Amino acid sequence: DAKTTQPPSMDCAEGRAANLPCNHSTISGNEYVYWYRQIHSQGPQYIIHGLKNNETNEMASLIITEDRKSSTLILPHATLRDTAVYYCIVIASGTYKYIFGTGTRLKVLA
Amino acid sequence: DAGVIQSPRHEVTEMGQEVTLRCKPISGHNSLFWYRQTMMRGLELLIYFNNNVPIDDSGMPEDRFSAKMPNASFSTLKIQPSEPRDSAVYFCASSNRYEQYFGPGTRLTVT
């Protein structure tokens, strides 16, 4: 599986958009980009995933660059409850072995 | 749905004792995963079941660890004998497609 690189930490003001980047420059054509988050003392929570098109759901938007070497998770209006560690994972279709890196620790500030 | 259910939520035991962690996956999910999380090593996959059959146990640290899934609604992770270095949070997750849904975890402390 391709490796990912994320900044270790970010701050965001409450109510503003949080843009979390992920670099996956060695991604293969059949590999998806998944995002999870882990709020303190809880299990990881699925957010969104995509292959090459941009995706949006009720939680977030996922923007994948045309060359697929990087992506950005966007939380459009961050709240204090969005404070968490966010993990970007790249995994091939039909496989299951997530490799969780160290993620980005997002702190939303009041 | 109640989500993935794990029990106990906290377990404190002495070195050498047997520990059994339990998981009830989301109904209808055919894949089940056990993970371990520590500060040093992060989140690691221990074992993966598909349709109740163990598919990949390469992450199980040693023979002291064993996992079973006797039916689609129940799985156990057993550590015998337990050691202090087994102290961690153990998560169970289930899936029926691509995304995995995690339980709240069991915090294990071995003294």
Side-chain angles (χ1 to χ4, degrees), chain A residues 24-49:
Chain A
H24 31 79
S25 57
T26 60
I27 193 170
S28 299
N30 67 338
E31 289 180 319
Y32 286 75
V33 180
Y34 279 75
W35 283 84
Y36 282 75
R37 72 180 182 184
Q38 188 172 23
I39 296 170
H40 182 62
S41 297
Q42 298 182 20
Q45 177 190 23
Y46 167 77
I47 300 173
I48 198 167
H49 75 278

mmCIF file with all atom_site columns, all heavy atoms in Angstrom, chain A residues 24-49:
data_model
loop_
_atom_site.group_PDB
_atom_site.id
_atom_site.type_symbol
_atom_site.label_atom_id
_atom_site.label_alt_id
_atom_site.label_comp_id
_atom_site.label_asym_id
_atom_site.label_entity_id
_atom_site.label_seq_id
_atom_site.pdbx_PDB_ins_code
_atom_site.Cartn_x
_atom_site.Cartn_y
_atom_site.Cartn_z
_atom_site.occupancy
_atom_site.B_iso_or_equiv
_atom_site.pdbx_formal_charge
_atom_site.auth_seq_id
_atom_site.auth_comp_id
_atom_site.auth_asym_id
_atom_site.auth_atom_id
_atom_site.pdbx_PDB_model_num
ATOM 1   N N   . HIS A 1 24 ? 0.156   11.632 -1.017  1.00 0.00 ? 24 HIS A N   1
ATOM 2   C CA  . HIS A 1 24 ? 0.252   10.186 -1.317  1.00 0.00 ? 24 HIS A CA  1
ATOM 3   C C   . HIS A 1 24 ? 0.826   10.047 -2.711  1.00 0.00 ? 24 HIS A C   1
ATOM 4   O O   . HIS A 1 24 ? 0.166   9.543  -3.631  1.00 0.00 ? 24 HIS A O   1
ATOM 5   C CB  . HIS A 1 24 ? -1.101  9.479  -1.163  1.00 0.00 ? 24 HIS A CB  1
ATOM 6   C CG  . HIS A 1 24 ? -2.296  10.326 -1.481  1.00 0.00 ? 24 HIS A CG  1
ATOM 7   N ND1 . HIS A 1 24 ? -2.720  10.583 -2.769  1.00 0.00 ? 24 HIS A ND1 1
ATOM 8   C CD2 . HIS A 1 24 ? -3.140  10.982 -0.650  1.00 0.00 ? 24 HIS A CD2 1
ATOM 9   C CE1 . HIS A 1 24 ? -3.791  11.340 -2.724  1.00 0.00 ? 24 HIS A CE1 1
ATOM 10  N NE2 . HIS A 1 24 ? -4.080  11.612 -1.466  1.00 0.00 ? 24 HIS A NE2 1
ATOM 11  N N   . SER A 1 25 ? 2.075   10.487 -2.865  1.00 0.00 ? 25 SER A N   1
ATOM 12  C CA  . SER A 1 25 ? 2.681   10.618 -4.184  1.00 0.00 ? 25 SER A CA  1
ATOM 13  C C   . SER A 1 25 ? 2.923   9.285  -4.888  1.00 0.00 ? 25 SER A C   1
ATOM 14  O O   . SER A 1 25 ? 3.114   9.261  -6.104  1.00 0.00 ? 25 SER A O   1
ATOM 15  C CB  . SER A 1 25 ? 4.004   11.394 -4.078  1.00 0.00 ? 25 SER A CB  1
ATOM 16  O OG  . SER A 1 25 ? 4.875   10.740 -3.180  1.00 0.00 ? 25 SER A OG  1
ATOM 17  N N   . THR A 1 26 ? 2.917   8.177  -4.131  1.00 0.00 ? 26 THR A N   1
ATOM 18  C CA  . THR A 1 26 ? 3.168   6.868  -4.759  1.00 0.00 ? 26 THR A CA  1
ATOM 19  C C   . THR A 1 26 ? 1.890   6.060  -4.948  1.00 0.00 ? 26 THR A C   1
ATOM 20  O O   . THR A 1 26 ? 1.943   4.862  -5.169  1.00 0.00 ? 26 THR A O   1
ATOM 21  C CB  . THR A 1 26 ? 4.167   6.057  -3.921  1.00 0.00 ? 26 THR A CB  1
ATOM 22  O OG1 . THR A 1 26 ? 3.626   5.866  -2.609  1.00 0.00 ? 26 THR A OG1 1
ATOM 23  C CG2 . THR A 1 26 ? 5.508   6.773  -3.820  1.00 0.00 ? 26 THR A CG2 1
ATOM 24  N N   . ILE A 1 27 ? 0.765   6.713  -4.908  1.00 0.00 ? 27 ILE A N   1
ATOM 25  C CA  . ILE A 1 27 ? -0.521  6.028  -5.012  1.00 0.00 ? 27 ILE A CA  1
ATOM 26  C C   . ILE A 1 27 ? -0.652  5.327  -6.366  1.00 0.00 ? 27 ILE A C   1
ATOM 27  O O   . ILE A 1 27 ? -0.205  5.838  -7.403  1.00 0.00 ? 27 ILE A O   1
ATOM 28  C CB  . ILE A 1 27 ? -1.681  7.020  -4.793  1.00 0.00 ? 27 ILE A CB  1
ATOM 29  C CG1 . ILE A 1 27 ? -3.001  6.292  -4.585  1.00 0.00 ? 27 ILE A CG1 1
ATOM 30  C CG2 . ILE A 1 27 ? -1.761  8.016  -5.943  1.00 0.00 ? 27 ILE A CG2 1
ATOM 31  C CD1 . ILE A 1 27 ? -4.130  7.207  -4.119  1.00 0.00 ? 27 ILE A CD1 1
ATOM 32  N N   . SER A 1 28 ? -1.258  4.133  -6.345  1.00 0.00 ? 28 SER A N   1
ATOM 33  C CA  . SER A 1 28 ? -1.474  3.383  -7.574  1.00 0.00 ? 28 SER A CA  1
ATOM 34  C C   . SER A 1 28 ? -2.879  3.633  -8.109  1.00 0.00 ? 28 SER A C   1
ATOM 35  O O   . SER A 1 28 ? -3.743  4.133  -7.398  1.00 0.00 ? 28 SER A O   1
ATOM 36  C CB  . SER A 1 28 ? -1.298  1.881  -7.311  1.00 0.00 ? 28 SER A CB  1
ATOM 37  O OG  . SER A 1 28 ? -0.005  1.597  -6.862  1.00 0.00 ? 28 SER A OG  1
ATOM 38  N N   . GLY A 1 29 ? -3.096  3.231  -9.364  1.00 0.00 ? 29 GLY A N   1
ATOM 39  C CA  . GLY A 1 29 ? -4.350  3.538  -10.033 1.00 0.00 ? 29 GLY A CA  1
ATOM 40  C C   . GLY A 1 29 ? -5.584  2.931  -9.381  1.00 0.00 ? 29 GLY A C   1
ATOM 41  O O   . GLY A 1 29 ? -6.683  3.481  -9.492  1.00 0.00 ? 29 GLY A O   1
ATOM 42  N N   . ASN A 1 30 ? -5.423  1.813  -8.691  1.00 0.00 ? 30 ASN A N   1
ATOM 43  C CA  . ASN A 1 30 ? -6.585  1.163  -8.089  1.00 0.00 ? 30 ASN A CA  1
ATOM 44  C C   . ASN A 1 30 ? -6.704  1.449  -6.593  1.00 0.00 ? 30 ASN A C   1
ATOM 45  O O   . ASN A 1 30 ? -7.480  0.785  -5.897  1.00 0.00 ? 30 ASN A O   1
ATOM 46  C CB  . ASN A 1 30 ? -6.507  -0.358 -8.305  1.00 0.00 ? 30 ASN A CB  1
ATOM 47  C CG  . ASN A 1 30 ? -5.354  -0.975 -7.530  1.00 0.00 ? 30 ASN A CG  1
ATOM 48  O OD1 . ASN A 1 30 ? -4.394  -0.292 -7.164  1.00 0.00 ? 30 ASN A OD1 1
ATOM 49  N ND2 . ASN A 1 30 ? -5.444  -2.262 -7.252  1.00 0.00 ? 30 ASN A ND2 1
ATOM 50  N N   . GLU A 1 31 ? -5.955  2.395  -6.099  1.00 0.00 ? 31 GLU A N   1
ATOM 51  C CA  . GLU A 1 31 ? -5.978  2.691  -4.672  1.00 0.00 ? 31 GLU A CA  1
ATOM 52  C C   . GLU A 1 31 ? -6.881  3.880  -4.357  1.00 0.00 ? 31 GLU A C   1
ATOM 53  O O   . GLU A 1 31 ? -6.833  4.911  -5.029  1.00 0.00 ? 31 GLU A O   1
ATOM 54  C CB  . GLU A 1 31 ? -4.563  2.945  -4.156  1.00 0.00 ? 31 GLU A CB  1
ATOM 55  C CG  . GLU A 1 31 ? -3.736  1.659  -4.117  1.00 0.00 ? 31 GLU A CG  1
ATOM 56  C CD  . GLU A 1 31 ? -2.338  1.884  -3.599  1.00 0.00 ? 31 GLU A CD  1
ATOM 57  O OE1 . GLU A 1 31 ? -1.720  2.903  -3.964  1.00 0.00 ? 31 GLU A OE1 1
ATOM 58  O OE2 . GLU A 1 31 ? -1.851  1.024  -2.825  1.00 0.00 ? 31 GLU A OE2 1
ATOM 59  N N   . TYR A 1 32 ? -7.687  3.700  -3.320  1.00 0.00 ? 32 TYR A N   1
ATOM 60  C CA  . TYR A 1 32 ? -8.602  4.724  -2.849  1.00 0.00 ? 32 TYR A CA  1
ATOM 61  C C   . TYR A 1 32 ? -7.940  5.532  -1.733  1.00 0.00 ? 32 TYR A C   1
ATOM 62  O O   . TYR A 1 32 ? -7.066  5.037  -1.015  1.00 0.00 ? 32 TYR A O   1
ATOM 63  C CB  . TYR A 1 32 ? -9.872  4.086  -2.294  1.00 0.00 ? 32 TYR A CB  1
ATOM 64  C CG  . TYR A 1 32 ? -10.803 3.536  -3.339  1.00 0.00 ? 32 TYR A CG  1
ATOM 65  C CD1 . TYR A 1 32 ? -10.519 2.357  -4.010  1.00 0.00 ? 32 TYR A CD1 1
ATOM 66  C CD2 . TYR A 1 32 ? -11.990 4.197  -3.645  1.00 0.00 ? 32 TYR A CD2 1
ATOM 67  C CE1 . TYR A 1 32 ? -11.382 1.852  -4.960  1.00 0.00 ? 32 TYR A CE1 1
ATOM 68  C CE2 . TYR A 1 32 ? -12.868 3.701  -4.595  1.00 0.00 ? 32 TYR A CE2 1
ATOM 69  C CZ  . TYR A 1 32 ? -12.554 2.523  -5.254  1.00 0.00 ? 32 TYR A CZ  1
ATOM 70  O OH  . TYR A 1 32 ? -13.413 2.021  -6.198  1.00 0.00 ? 32 TYR A OH  1
ATOM 71  N N   . VAL A 1 33 ? -8.464  6.736  -1.538  1.00 0.00 ? 33 VAL A N   1
ATOM 72  C CA  . VAL A 1 33 ? -8.058  7.565  -0.407  1.00 0.00 ? 33 VAL A CA  1
ATOM 73  C C   . VAL A 1 33 ? -9.208  7.565  0.603   1.00 0.00 ? 33 VAL A C   1
ATOM 74  O O   . VAL A 1 33 ? -10.343 7.905  0.258   1.00 0.00 ? 33 VAL A O   1
ATOM 75  C CB  . VAL A 1 33 ? -7.760  9.013  -0.838  1.00 0.00 ? 33 VAL A CB  1
ATOM 76  C CG1 . VAL A 1 33 ? -7.338  9.845  0.375   1.00 0.00 ? 33 VAL A CG1 1
ATOM 77  C CG2 . VAL A 1 33 ? -6.683  9.036  -1.914  1.00 0.00 ? 33 VAL A CG2 1
ATOM 78  N N   . TYR A 1 34 ? -8.902  7.151  1.814   1.00 0.00 ? 34 TYR A N   1
ATOM 79  C CA  . TYR A 1 34 ? -9.880  7.133  2.906   1.00 0.00 ? 34 TYR A CA  1
ATOM 80  C C   . TYR A 1 34 ? -9.450  8.123  3.989   1.00 0.00 ? 34 TYR A C   1
ATOM 81  O O   . TYR A 1 34 ? -8.268  8.300  4.247   1.00 0.00 ? 34 TYR A O   1
ATOM 82  C CB  . TYR A 1 34 ? -9.935  5.737  3.557   1.00 0.00 ? 34 TYR A CB  1
ATOM 83  C CG  . TYR A 1 34 ? -10.778 4.738  2.821   1.00 0.00 ? 34 TYR A CG  1
ATOM 84  C CD1 . TYR A 1 34 ? -10.326 4.145  1.649   1.00 0.00 ? 34 TYR A CD1 1
ATOM 85  C CD2 . TYR A 1 34 ? -12.023 4.372  3.318   1.00 0.00 ? 34 TYR A CD2 1
ATOM 86  C CE1 . TYR A 1 34 ? -11.103 3.228  0.978   1.00 0.00 ? 34 TYR A CE1 1
ATOM 87  C CE2 . TYR A 1 34 ? -12.808 3.440  2.648   1.00 0.00 ? 34 TYR A CE2 1
ATOM 88  C CZ  . TYR A 1 34 ? -12.344 2.881  1.481   1.00 0.00 ? 34 TYR A CZ  1
ATOM 89  O OH  . TYR A 1 34 ? -13.117 1.971  0.814   1.00 0.00 ? 34 TYR A OH  1
ATOM 90  N N   . TRP A 1 35 ? -10.469 8.698  4.625   1.00 0.00 ? 35 TRP A N   1
ATOM 91  C CA  . TRP A 1 35 ? -10.208 9.547  5.784   1.00 0.00 ? 35 TRP A CA  1
ATOM 92  C C   . TRP A 1 35 ? -11.025 9.041  6.968   1.00 0.00 ? 35 TRP A C   1
ATOM 93  O O   . TRP A 1 35 ? -12.217 8.760  6.839   1.00 0.00 ? 35 TRP A O   1
ATOM 94  C CB  . TRP A 1 35 ? -10.578 11.001 5.501   1.00 0.00 ? 35 TRP A CB  1
ATOM 95  C CG  . TRP A 1 35 ? -9.565  11.715 4.648   1.00 0.00 ? 35 TRP A CG  1
ATOM 96  C CD1 . TRP A 1 35 ? -9.467  11.706 3.286   1.00 0.00 ? 35 TRP A CD1 1
ATOM 97  C CD2 . TRP A 1 35 ? -8.513  12.567 5.108   1.00 0.00 ? 35 TRP A CD2 1
ATOM 98  N NE1 . TRP A 1 35 ? -8.417  12.490 2.871   1.00 0.00 ? 35 TRP A NE1 1
ATOM 99  C CE2 . TRP A 1 35 ? -7.815  13.031 3.977   1.00 0.00 ? 35 TRP A CE2 1
ATOM 100 C CE3 . TRP A 1 35 ? -8.086  12.984 6.376   1.00 0.00 ? 35 TRP A CE3 1
ATOM 101 C CZ2 . TRP A 1 35 ? -6.721  13.895 4.062   1.00 0.00 ? 35 TRP A CZ2 1
ATOM 102 C CZ3 . TRP A 1 35 ? -7.005  13.841 6.466   1.00 0.00 ? 35 TRP A CZ3 1
ATOM 103 C CH2 . TRP A 1 35 ? -6.329  14.291 5.325   1.00 0.00 ? 35 TRP A CH2 1
ATOM 104 N N   . TYR A 1 36 ? -10.333 8.959  8.087   1.00 0.00 ? 36 TYR A N   1
ATOM 105 C CA  . TYR A 1 36 ? -10.948 8.623  9.371   1.00 0.00 ? 36 TYR A CA  1
ATOM 106 C C   . TYR A 1 36 ? -10.517 9.682  10.382  1.00 0.00 ? 36 TYR A C   1
ATOM 107 O O   . TYR A 1 36 ? -9.511  10.360 10.195  1.00 0.00 ? 36 TYR A O   1
ATOM 108 C CB  . TYR A 1 36 ? -10.469 7.254  9.875   1.00 0.00 ? 36 TYR A CB  1
ATOM 109 C CG  . TYR A 1 36 ? -11.120 6.072  9.207   1.00 0.00 ? 36 TYR A CG  1
ATOM 110 C CD1 . TYR A 1 36 ? -10.756 5.706  7.918   1.00 0.00 ? 36 TYR A CD1 1
ATOM 111 C CD2 . TYR A 1 36 ? -12.094 5.341  9.858   1.00 0.00 ? 36 TYR A CD2 1
ATOM 112 C CE1 . TYR A 1 36 ? -11.355 4.624  7.292   1.00 0.00 ? 36 TYR A CE1 1
ATOM 113 C CE2 . TYR A 1 36 ? -12.699 4.248  9.244   1.00 0.00 ? 36 TYR A CE2 1
ATOM 114 C CZ  . TYR A 1 36 ? -12.323 3.900  7.961   1.00 0.00 ? 36 TYR A CZ  1
ATOM 115 O OH  . TYR A 1 36 ? -12.919 2.827  7.351   1.00 0.00 ? 36 TYR A OH  1
ATOM 116 N N   . ARG A 1 37 ? -11.260 9.779  11.464  1.00 0.00 ? 37 ARG A N   1
ATOM 117 C CA  . ARG A 1 37 ? -10.815 10.617 12.564  1.00 0.00 ? 37 ARG A CA  1
ATOM 118 C C   . ARG A 1 37 ? -11.016 9.874  13.877  1.00 0.00 ? 37 ARG A C   1
ATOM 119 O O   . ARG A 1 37 ? -11.861 8.975  13.972  1.00 0.00 ? 37 ARG A O   1
ATOM 120 C CB  . ARG A 1 37 ? -11.554 11.957 12.594  1.00 0.00 ? 37 ARG A CB  1
ATOM 121 C CG  . ARG A 1 37 ? -13.004 11.897 13.030  1.00 0.00 ? 37 ARG A CG  1
ATOM 122 C CD  . ARG A 1 37 ? -13.608 13.285 13.012  1.00 0.00 ? 37 ARG A CD  1
ATOM 123 N NE  . ARG A 1 37 ? -14.982 13.295 13.467  1.00 0.00 ? 37 ARG A NE  1
ATOM 124 C CZ  . ARG A 1 37 ? -15.748 14.378 13.471  1.00 0.00 ? 37 ARG A CZ  1
ATOM 125 N NH1 . ARG A 1 37 ? -15.262 15.539 13.039  1.00 0.00 ? 37 ARG A NH1 1
ATOM 126 N NH2 . ARG A 1 37 ? -16.984 14.315 13.902  1.00 0.00 ? 37 ARG A NH2 1
ATOM 127 N N   . GLN A 1 38 ? -10.241 10.272 14.856  1.00 0.00 ? 38 GLN A N   1
ATOM 128 C CA  . GLN A 1 38 ? -10.329 9.662  16.173  1.00 0.00 ? 38 GLN A CA  1
ATOM 129 C C   . GLN A 1 38 ? -10.392 10.768 17.209  1.00 0.00 ? 38 GLN A C   1
ATOM 130 O O   . GLN A 1 38 ? -9.401  11.475 17.443  1.00 0.00 ? 38 GLN A O   1
ATOM 131 C CB  . GLN A 1 38 ? -9.150  8.731  16.443  1.00 0.00 ? 38 GLN A CB  1
ATOM 132 C CG  . GLN A 1 38 ? -9.298  7.925  17.723  1.00 0.00 ? 38 GLN A CG  1
ATOM 133 C CD  . GLN A 1 38 ? -8.227  6.871  17.883  1.00 0.00 ? 38 GLN A CD  1
ATOM 134 O OE1 . GLN A 1 38 ? -7.147  6.960  17.306  1.00 0.00 ? 38 GLN A OE1 1
ATOM 135 N NE2 . GLN A 1 38 ? -8.520  5.849  18.684  1.00 0.00 ? 38 GLN A NE2 1
ATOM 136 N N   . ILE A 1 39 ? -11.574 10.897 17.764  1.00 0.00 ? 39 ILE A N   1
ATOM 137 C CA  . ILE A 1 39 ? -11.769 11.824 18.869  1.00 0.00 ? 39 ILE A CA  1
ATOM 138 C C   . ILE A 1 39 ? -11.245 11.157 20.130  1.00 0.00 ? 39 ILE A C   1
ATOM 139 O O   . ILE A 1 39 ? -11.353 9.944  20.286  1.00 0.00 ? 39 ILE A O   1
ATOM 140 C CB  . ILE A 1 39 ? -13.259 12.197 18.980  1.00 0.00 ? 39 ILE A CB  1
ATOM 141 C CG1 . ILE A 1 39 ? -13.688 12.946 17.714  1.00 0.00 ? 39 ILE A CG1 1
ATOM 142 C CG2 . ILE A 1 39 ? -13.538 13.028 20.226  1.00 0.00 ? 39 ILE A CG2 1
ATOM 143 C CD1 . ILE A 1 39 ? -15.169 13.172 17.578  1.00 0.00 ? 39 ILE A CD1 1
ATOM 144 N N   . HIS A 1 40 ? -10.696 11.950 21.012  1.00 0.00 ? 40 HIS A N   1
ATOM 145 C CA  . HIS A 1 40 ? -10.016 11.426 22.193  1.00 0.00 ? 40 HIS A CA  1
ATOM 146 C C   . HIS A 1 40 ? -10.801 10.326 22.891  1.00 0.00 ? 40 HIS A C   1
ATOM 147 O O   . HIS A 1 40 ? -11.984 10.472 23.186  1.00 0.00 ? 40 HIS A O   1
ATOM 148 C CB  . HIS A 1 40 ? -9.760  12.574 23.173  1.00 0.00 ? 40 HIS A CB  1
ATOM 149 C CG  . HIS A 1 40 ? -9.028  12.145 24.396  1.00 0.00 ? 40 HIS A CG  1
ATOM 150 N ND1 . HIS A 1 40 ? -7.749  11.619 24.347  1.00 0.00 ? 40 HIS A ND1 1
ATOM 151 C CD2 . HIS A 1 40 ? -9.387  12.141 25.693  1.00 0.00 ? 40 HIS A CD2 1
ATOM 152 C CE1 . HIS A 1 40 ? -7.367  11.321 25.572  1.00 0.00 ? 40 HIS A CE1 1
ATOM 153 N NE2 . HIS A 1 40 ? -8.329  11.632 26.415  1.00 0.00 ? 40 HIS A NE2 1
ATOM 154 N N   . SER A 1 41 ? -10.117 9.194  23.116  1.00 0.00 ? 41 SER A N   1
ATOM 155 C CA  . SER A 1 41 ? -10.667 8.063  23.863  1.00 0.00 ? 41 SER A CA  1
ATOM 156 C C   . SER A 1 41 ? -11.789 7.340  23.142  1.00 0.00 ? 41 SER A C   1
ATOM 157 O O   . SER A 1 41 ? -12.482 6.521  23.763  1.00 0.00 ? 41 SER A O   1
ATOM 158 C CB  . SER A 1 41 ? -11.174 8.512  25.243  1.00 0.00 ? 41 SER A CB  1
ATOM 159 O OG  . SER A 1 41 ? -10.121 9.012  26.016  1.00 0.00 ? 41 SER A OG  1
ATOM 160 N N   . GLN A 1 42 ? -11.989 7.613  21.867  1.00 0.00 ? 42 GLN A N   1
ATOM 161 C CA  . GLN A 1 42 ? -13.008 6.901  21.100  1.00 0.00 ? 42 GLN A CA  1
ATOM 162 C C   . GLN A 1 42 ? -12.361 6.088  19.985  1.00 0.00 ? 42 GLN A C   1
ATOM 163 O O   . GLN A 1 42 ? -11.187 6.266  19.675  1.00 0.00 ? 42 GLN A O   1
ATOM 164 C CB  . GLN A 1 42 ? -14.014 7.883  20.497  1.00 0.00 ? 42 GLN A CB  1
ATOM 165 C CG  . GLN A 1 42 ? -14.798 8.677  21.521  1.00 0.00 ? 42 GLN A CG  1
ATOM 166 C CD  . GLN A 1 42 ? -15.817 9.596  20.873  1.00 0.00 ? 42 GLN A CD  1
ATOM 167 O OE1 . GLN A 1 42 ? -16.212 9.394  19.724  1.00 0.00 ? 42 GLN A OE1 1
ATOM 168 N NE2 . GLN A 1 42 ? -16.243 10.616 21.601  1.00 0.00 ? 42 GLN A NE2 1
ATOM 169 N N   . GLY A 1 43 ? -13.149 5.202  19.372  1.00 0.00 ? 43 GLY A N   1
ATOM 170 C CA  . GLY A 1 43 ? -12.647 4.473  18.218  1.00 0.00 ? 43 GLY A CA  1
ATOM 171 C C   . GLY A 1 43 ? -12.624 5.359  16.990  1.00 0.00 ? 43 GLY A C   1
ATOM 172 O O   . GLY A 1 43 ? -13.360 6.340  16.903  1.00 0.00 ? 43 GLY A O   1
ATOM 173 N N   . PRO A 1 44 ? -11.781 5.030  16.017  1.00 0.00 ? 44 PRO A N   1
ATOM 174 C CA  . PRO A 1 44 ? -11.752 5.804  14.773  1.00 0.00 ? 44 PRO A CA  1
ATOM 175 C C   . PRO A 1 44 ? -13.127 5.811  14.103  1.00 0.00 ? 44 PRO A C   1
ATOM 176 O O   . PRO A 1 44 ? -13.888 4.848  14.188  1.00 0.00 ? 44 PRO A O   1
ATOM 177 C CB  . PRO A 1 44 ? -10.722 5.059  13.921  1.00 0.00 ? 44 PRO A CB  1
ATOM 178 C CG  . PRO A 1 44 ? -9.824  4.397  14.910  1.00 0.00 ? 44 PRO A CG  1
ATOM 179 C CD  . PRO A 1 44 ? -10.725 4.007  16.047  1.00 0.00 ? 44 PRO A CD  1
ATOM 180 N N   . GLN A 1 45 ? -13.416 6.913  13.439  1.00 0.00 ? 45 GLN A N   1
ATOM 181 C CA  . GLN A 1 45 ? -14.708 7.116  12.792  1.00 0.00 ? 45 GLN A CA  1
ATOM 182 C C   . GLN A 1 45 ? -14.479 7.381  11.317  1.00 0.00 ? 45 GLN A C   1
ATOM 183 O O   . GLN A 1 45 ? -13.682 8.255  10.948  1.00 0.00 ? 45 GLN A O   1
ATOM 184 C CB  . GLN A 1 45 ? -15.425 8.306  13.438  1.00 0.00 ? 45 GLN A CB  1
ATOM 185 C CG  . GLN A 1 45 ? -16.751 8.668  12.796  1.00 0.00 ? 45 GLN A CG  1
ATOM 186 C CD  . GLN A 1 45 ? -17.302 9.990  13.316  1.00 0.00 ? 45 GLN A CD  1
ATOM 187 O OE1 . GLN A 1 45 ? -16.572 10.844 13.824  1.00 0.00 ? 45 GLN A OE1 1
ATOM 188 N NE2 . GLN A 1 45 ? -18.605 10.160 13.196  1.00 0.00 ? 45 GLN A NE2 1
ATOM 189 N N   . TYR A 1 46 ? -15.163 6.639  10.464  1.00 0.00 ? 46 TYR A N   1
ATOM 190 C CA  . TYR A 1 46 ? -15.073 6.837  9.023   1.00 0.00 ? 46 TYR A CA  1
ATOM 191 C C   . TYR A 1 46 ? -15.647 8.208  8.656   1.00 0.00 ? 46 TYR A C   1
ATOM 192 O O   . TYR A 1 46 ? -16.693 8.624  9.175   1.00 0.00 ? 46 TYR A O   1
ATOM 193 C CB  . TYR A 1 46 ? -15.850 5.747  8.297   1.00 0.00 ? 46 TYR A CB  1
ATOM 194 C CG  . TYR A 1 46 ? -16.100 6.010  6.833   1.00 0.00 ? 46 TYR A CG  1
ATOM 195 C CD1 . TYR A 1 46 ? -15.102 5.828  5.890   1.00 0.00 ? 46 TYR A CD1 1
ATOM 196 C CD2 . TYR A 1 46 ? -17.350 6.462  6.400   1.00 0.00 ? 46 TYR A CD2 1
ATOM 197 C CE1 . TYR A 1 46 ? -15.336 6.082  4.540   1.00 0.00 ? 46 TYR A CE1 1
ATOM 198 C CE2 . TYR A 1 46 ? -17.591 6.706  5.060   1.00 0.00 ? 46 TYR A CE2 1
ATOM 199 C CZ  . TYR A 1 46 ? -16.586 6.522  4.135   1.00 0.00 ? 46 TYR A CZ  1
ATOM 200 O OH  . TYR A 1 46 ? -16.817 6.781  2.815   1.00 0.00 ? 46 TYR A OH  1
ATOM 201 N N   . ILE A 1 47 ? -14.953 8.923  7.738   1.00 0.00 ? 47 ILE A N   1
ATOM 202 C CA  . ILE A 1 47 ? -15.456 10.215 7.290   1.00 0.00 ? 47 ILE A CA  1
ATOM 203 C C   . ILE A 1 47 ? -15.886 10.130 5.830   1.00 0.00 ? 47 ILE A C   1
ATOM 204 O O   . ILE A 1 47 ? -17.033 10.406 5.490   1.00 0.00 ? 47 ILE A O   1
ATOM 205 C CB  . ILE A 1 47 ? -14.384 11.316 7.447   1.00 0.00 ? 47 ILE A CB  1
ATOM 206 C CG1 . ILE A 1 47 ? -13.959 11.452 8.912   1.00 0.00 ? 47 ILE A CG1 1
ATOM 207 C CG2 . ILE A 1 47 ? -14.915 12.654 6.926   1.00 0.00 ? 47 ILE A CG2 1
ATOM 208 C CD1 . ILE A 1 47 ? -12.778 12.405 9.113   1.00 0.00 ? 47 ILE A CD1 1
ATOM 209 N N   . ILE A 1 48 ? -14.956 9.770  4.955   1.00 0.00 ? 48 ILE A N   1
ATOM 210 C CA  . ILE A 1 48 ? -15.229 9.849  3.528   1.00 0.00 ? 48 ILE A CA  1
ATOM 211 C C   . ILE A 1 48 ? -14.147 9.091  2.777   1.00 0.00 ? 48 ILE A C   1
ATOM 212 O O   . ILE A 1 48 ? -13.070 8.829  3.332   1.00 0.00 ? 48 ILE A O   1
ATOM 213 C CB  . ILE A 1 48 ? -15.267 11.332 3.092   1.00 0.00 ? 48 ILE A CB  1
ATOM 214 C CG1 . ILE A 1 48 ? -15.970 11.528 1.750   1.00 0.00 ? 48 ILE A CG1 1
ATOM 215 C CG2 . ILE A 1 48 ? -13.857 11.936 3.078   1.00 0.00 ? 48 ILE A CG2 1
ATOM 216 C CD1 . ILE A 1 48 ? -16.291 12.994 1.450   1.00 0.00 ? 48 ILE A CD1 1
ATOM 217 N N   . HIS A 1 49 ? -14.418 8.695  1.537   1.00 0.00 ? 49 HIS A N   1
ATOM 218 C CA  . HIS A 1 49 ? -13.373 8.123  0.715   1.00 0.00 ? 49 HIS A CA  1
ATOM 219 C C   . HIS A 1 49 ? -13.623 8.475  -0.748  1.00 0.00 ? 49 HIS A C   1
ATOM 220 O O   . HIS A 1 49 ? -14.745 8.841  -1.128  1.00 0.00 ? 49 HIS A O   1
ATOM 221 C CB  . HIS A 1 49 ? -13.249 6.612  0.911   1.00 0.00 ? 49 HIS A CB  1
ATOM 222 C CG  . HIS A 1 49 ? -14.332 5.801  0.254   1.00 0.00 ? 49 HIS A CG  1
ATOM 223 N ND1 . HIS A 1 49 ? -15.573 5.614  0.838   1.00 0.00 ? 49 HIS A ND1 1
ATOM 224 C CD2 . HIS A 1 49 ? -14.347 5.105  -0.907  1.00 0.00 ? 49 HIS A CD2 1
ATOM 225 C CE1 . HIS A 1 49 ? -16.309 4.836  0.074   1.00 0.00 ? 49 HIS A CE1 1
ATOM 226 N NE2 . HIS A 1 49 ? -15.597 4.517  -1.009  1.00 0.00 ? 49 HIS A NE2 1
#
